[in-house]
Every structure is written in C-alpha cells, then in structure tokens.
Amino acid sequence: MLATFATVDCYSTLGFAPGECDECEGRAVVTFHRGPHEEIRECEQCRGTGVRHPCPHCPDGADPVTGDMCETCNGYGSLH
C-alpha cells in the first residue's frame, strides 16, 4: 500500500490540473532493478499521485527570499 502525503492541490491553488509526473510517467511507482531482483517503490517526485506540477514560487519547497517553508506548496516544491 502506498503512503499518503498531504500534498497541495494544483487545481485549487493555480486553477488548472497538473501534468503527468516525469519521473514515473503517471504510474505513481518506480521500479529499481538490482541484478535479478526488482523493487517497486512509490515515486518520490509525485509522492505516489502520478501527477505533478513544479511550484511556481520555489524550486525546492523553501521560499527563495526568506528560506522559510514555501506557503504555496507547503514545502513540497511541487503541486499535485
């Protein structure tokens, strides 16, 4: 079962739906191959939602001026 995070809704914040996550291509999980074994994990970029839009106010979840948590994305660096 995938973990659930309190992400920020892109549509209610910016007025449009986010695009498909580039990392997992909308699948919400990524697969790692280690020799003959494969491991499936929740995508860290979209936090298991399959969709993602970079925050328009910060690159990494921190306000670029103050260094505090970005209020637009709640420190996630992206909207979902």
Side-chain angles (χ1 to χ4, degrees), residues 2 9 11 13 16 21 44-45 48-49 52 57 61 66 68 72:
L2 300 176
D9 181 55
Y11 189 81
T13 304
F16 59 88
C21 176
E44 292 179 8
Q45 296 297 310
T49 62
R52 181 175 181 269
H57 299 113
T66 65
D68 295 334
T72 302

Side-chain angles (χ1 to χ4, degrees), residues 34-72:
R34 300 188 185 215
H37 305 286
E38 84 178 18
E39 182 179 336
I40 298 172
R41 294 185 192 167
E42 179 180 80
C43 178
E44 292 179 8
Q45 296 297 310
C46 68
R47 293 178 169 77
T49 62
V51 294
R52 181 175 181 269
H53 182 76
C55 180
H57 299 113
C58 74
D60 60 359
D63 186 303
V65 176
T66 65
D68 295 334
M69 182 181 74
C70 177
E71 292 183 13
T72 302

Side-chain angles (χ1 to χ4, degrees), residues 2-27:
L2 300 176
T4 309
F5 291 88
T7 57
V8 179
D9 181 55
C10 185
Y11 189 81
S12 65
T13 304
L14 301 177
F16 59 88
E20 184 178 89
C21 176
D22 293 335
E23 182 72 21
C24 68
E25 299 175 343
R27 294 184 317 252

